[in-house]
């Protein structure tokens, strides 16, 4: 039906603009909307029909990243397998999100958007519960707040994406580096003072 076709075209155009914005802003946060429209392969007029100004585009991209974060965590099926295998699936998918995840971690002008913060917390809730489960099972340190474990994971994923972007590590190597660092830092300490691997 014509309406469905138009809706599909609009959805694809909107997604193309958001993907282009993520790529452009990850490399240059001050880039103009003209650069974004060129990267997306659309005219400025088309871009403005979807996002009237830069603030609207930034906000739209942030909400899209939060939505995708929720999808990634749902797809990771966190209840299956060990805590560490579930964490590795999440890290793999977050690193694969690349510039979009990087954008969300660095767009501090959105810090005052309470709805975005609430949506982001809701999207991340399954991962937070996974970390708590790991603490309860004794495979993650319980002398650190779960919020700290989340922040450490975020910081390492960010470092992995930067390494992949700069070409110092392939994405698969970056995921491995994140997991080795996590296992070395948030696994519980045994009697000998060395990390216990789950």
């Amino acid at each position: 039906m014509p309406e469905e076709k138009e809706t599909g075209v609009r959805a694809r155009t909107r997604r193309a603009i958001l993907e282009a914005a993520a790529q452009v802003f990850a490399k240059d946060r001050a880039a103009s909307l003209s650069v974004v429209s060129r990267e997306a392969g659309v005219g400025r007029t088309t871009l403005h029909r979807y996002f009237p100004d830069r603030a609207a585009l930034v906000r739209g991209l942030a909400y899209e990243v939060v939505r995708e974060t929720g999808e990634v965590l749902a797809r990771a099926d966190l209840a299956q397998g060990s805590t560490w295998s579930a964490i590795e699936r999440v890290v793999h998918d977050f690193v694969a999100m690349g510039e979009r995840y990087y954008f969300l971690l660095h767009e501090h002008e959105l810090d005052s958007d309470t709805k975005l913060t609430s949506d982001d917390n809701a999207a991340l809730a399954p991962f937070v519960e996974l970390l708590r489960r790991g603490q309860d099972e004794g495979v993650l340190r319980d002398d650190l707040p779960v919020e700290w474990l989340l922040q450490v994971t975020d910081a390492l994923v960010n470092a992995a994406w930067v390494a992949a972007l700069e070409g110092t590590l392939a994405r698969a190597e970056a995921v491995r580096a994140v997991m080795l660092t996590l296992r070395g830092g948030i696994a519980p300490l045994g009697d000998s003072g060395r990390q216990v691997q789950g």
Side-chain angles (χ1 to χ4, degrees), residues 116-181:
L116 179 66
T117 300
S118 176
D119 287 359
D120 189 36
N121 289 340
L124 286 169
F127 187 60
V128 172
E129 286 306 308
L130 172 66
L131 296 175
R132 284 201 180 98
R133 185 184 96 195
Q135 289 181 324
D136 292 342
E137 293 173 346
V139 297
L140 298 181
R141 294 180 64 151
D142 60 6
D143 59 340
L144 296 171
V146 71
E147 293 78 12
W148 176 255
L149 304 187
L150 176 63
Q151 290 173 14
V152 166
T153 305
D154 280 347
L156 289 172
V157 167
N158 173 64
W161 188 78
V162 171
L165 175 68
E166 294 177 346
T168 57
L169 288 175
R171 284 197 177 180
E173 294 172 328
V175 170
R176 179 174 179 273
V178 170
M179 294 307 300
L180 286 173
T181 307

Side-chain angles (χ1 to χ4, degrees), residues 67-120:
R67 182 195 65 76
E68 188 174 356
T69 297
E71 289 184 351
V72 161
L73 291 173
R75 195 166 56 240
D77 197 7
L78 303 184
Q80 295 300 313
S82 70
T83 295
W84 279 112
S85 65
I87 290 174
E88 185 165 5
R89 291 195 298 275
V90 172
V91 168
H92 177 275
D93 288 346
F94 278 176
V95 171
M97 284 176 68
E99 60 273 358
R100 297 184 297 287
Y101 194 82
Y102 178 88
F103 167 86
L104 185 62
L105 290 179
H106 290 80
E107 196 52 54
H108 299 302
E109 68 183 69
L110 294 165
D111 290 347
S112 61
D113 188 329
T114 54
K115 183 180 185 309
L116 179 66
T117 300
S118 176
D119 287 359
D120 189 36

Side-chain angles (χ1 to χ4, degrees), residues 55-68:
L57 177 57
V58 167
R59 190 172 297 106
L61 178 55
Y63 276 94
E64 177 68 11
V65 173
V66 167
R67 182 195 65 76
E68 188 174 356

